[in-house]
Amino acid sequence: MGVCITGIGVVSAIGMSVEENLNALCEGRTGIGPLRYLQGTKASLAGEVKASNDDLRKALNVGTEYVSRTSLLGLQAAREAWGDNKRSGVIRTGIISATSVGGMDRSEVFYKDYLAQNNPDYKLLTTHDSGSTTERIAKELGITGYINTLSTACSSGVNAIMLGARLILQGTLDRVLVGGSDALSGFTIDGFRSLMIYDDQWCRPFDESRAGLNLGEGAGFLLLEGEKSLELTGNTPICNVSGWANAADAYHQTASSPDGKGATLAIENAIRRAGIGLNQISYVNAHGTGTKNNDHSESVALQNVFGDRIPPFSSTKAFTGHTLAAAGAIEAVFSVLAIQNNLIFPNLNYNTPIVGTGLVPATQLGTDLEVNAVLSNSFGFGGNNSSLVLTKYE
């Protein structure tokens, strides 16, 4: 039986729930557009969640206590994934949440007031720590057995899933809520602009004309259960977490290696761990940020692994923007949806193959193939590369 997924939850620029996200993916409707709620940045486009902090507070019934937008988004997705699961001391339950930004959106408010000597509110800093989001969700859901926060750049969400699966297989925990959450902030937008990889136009993953990424925000969570937990909860499995791997490029502080070495190792080892053949991968949900370096490196890695028989692949970041630590978890949810509904999601904005690789992603919604196994890639700064293989529950 291994590790099963029994619940999923997501909030992103294309929707406040799993259903809304699925509808937008099927309709080819992007969530990237002009910023409405985050002010004071130079970015013209981003994947902003279509709700203010006050909207989120009301929907979540969160009072006036200090809470970051990262925590609000995380709570939204975690509640959906958790569903009506009861608190139980019998089932050893943990939570592993990933974030890059943490409570930076609140810290920026404090910092500006502090510099202007405008009576800064020091309590805003209580939400700055990356662990505060995990602890807030754990408290809300009554999870006390194991609480952990990961921050490994853009691979964080997949690494949270990987760690959760390992803890279940090792017998340390019976079920784990895993995922990631990140909110937009001026700090991250300006940071990516300083690296000259932020595109002021709509991002174009795997296209020769690609000029950078659009940042996004959101959260994704999945409930993982082992055999003992399933016997006690009676939940219905919807997918298996069958394979995973992490591998480092050791190439550059931010860039991926041009030969795709770390990504190649991560993909190969994840598929090997899943115990399936290369020809059994139905679809690849690519990392596909839309940057010159990443898309070329990932294309080379796919060629290294699959040769001239690369499965249908696409990046969904032209829908949501790059959600940093949440990306791997959000895209794992999308991968579950692909398996559940036998779908291959379109790679928006693609026109011309990358010179040197010539790979062509799926550009139309695919509905005519049976999707039994999905490879989902998340590659982070410093060459922290992670790949995940999800399979249909048998």
Side-chain angles (χ1 to χ4, degrees), residues 115-159:
L115 289 179
Q117 297 183 341
N118 185 30
N119 192 29
D121 186 349
Y122 283 85
K123 288 185 178 180
L124 288 171
L125 296 179
T126 61
T127 68
H128 179 82
D129 183 78
S130 294
S132 66
T133 290
T134 315
E135 291 165 359
R136 184 67 180 78
I137 296 170
K139 181 180 179 182
E140 171 83 16
L141 302 180
I143 298 173
T144 58
Y146 179 86
I147 301 171
N148 197 355
T149 305
L150 297 185
S151 188
T152 57
C154 309
S155 61
S156 304
V158 167
N159 286 339

Side-chain angles (χ1 to χ4, degrees), residues 155 246-257 262-263 379-386:
S155 61
N246 175 273
D249 279 340
Y251 170 75
H252 185 270
Q253 188 175 5
T254 57
S256 301
S257 60
F379 304 143
F381 274 177
N384 193 310
N385 304 295
S386 294

Side-chain angles (χ1 to χ4, degrees), residues 14 54 147 191 200 242 266 293 305 314 323 332-333 335 354 375 379:
I14 57 174
D54 286 340
I147 301 171
D200 288 322
S242 299
N293 172 248
V305 175
S314 67
T323 57
V333 172
S335 298
I354 296 173
L375 169 70
F379 304 143

Side-chain angles (χ1 to χ4, degrees), residues 94-113:
I95 178 172
I96 306 168
S97 183
T99 188
S100 290
V101 176
M104 184 62 71
D105 65 303
R106 298 292 85 201
S107 300
E108 287 179 339
V109 173
F110 166 83
Y111 187 59
K112 290 174 183 176
D113 287 342

Side-chain angles (χ1 to χ4, degrees), residues 10-150:
V10 64
V11 55
S12 75
I14 57 174
M16 299 297 293
S17 66
V18 168
E19 182 179 8
E20 289 183 6
N21 275 262
L22 177 59
N23 289 340
L25 288 167
C26 291
E27 294 167 6
R29 175 164 38 86
T30 185
I32 295 172
L35 285 164
R36 177 179 177 184
Y37 301 109
L38 180 64
Q39 303 298 318
T41 74
K42 296 179 181 179
S44 56
L45 293 176
E48 193 173 41
V49 170
K50 309 304 184 286
S52 68
N53 285 358
D54 286 340
D55 293 334
L56 292 166
R57 285 177 180 276
K58 290 176 183 177
L60 294 165
N61 195 27
V62 173
T64 58
E65 71 248 44
Y66 292 87
V67 58
S68 68
R69 186 170 176 85
T70 297
S71 294
L72 292 170
L73 296 173
L75 274 169
Q76 176 78 17
R79 279 189 183 178
E80 186 177 24
W82 185 249
D84 60 357
N85 283 279
K86 306 297 182 184
R87 303 176 186 181
S88 173
V90 177
I91 305 174
R92 295 170 300 172
T93 305
I95 178 172
I96 306 168
S97 183
T99 188
S100 290
V101 176
M104 184 62 71
D105 65 303
R106 298 292 85 201
S107 300
E108 287 179 339
V109 173
F110 166 83
Y111 187 59
K112 290 174 183 176
D113 287 342
Y114 179 83
L115 289 179
Q117 297 183 341
N118 185 30
N119 192 29
D121 186 349
Y122 283 85
K123 288 185 178 180
L124 288 171
L125 296 179
T126 61
T127 68
H128 179 82
D129 183 78
S130 294
S132 66
T133 290
T134 315
E135 291 165 359
R136 184 67 180 78
I137 296 170
K139 181 180 179 182
E140 171 83 16
L141 302 180
I143 298 173
T144 58
Y146 179 86
I147 301 171
N148 197 355
T149 305
L150 297 185

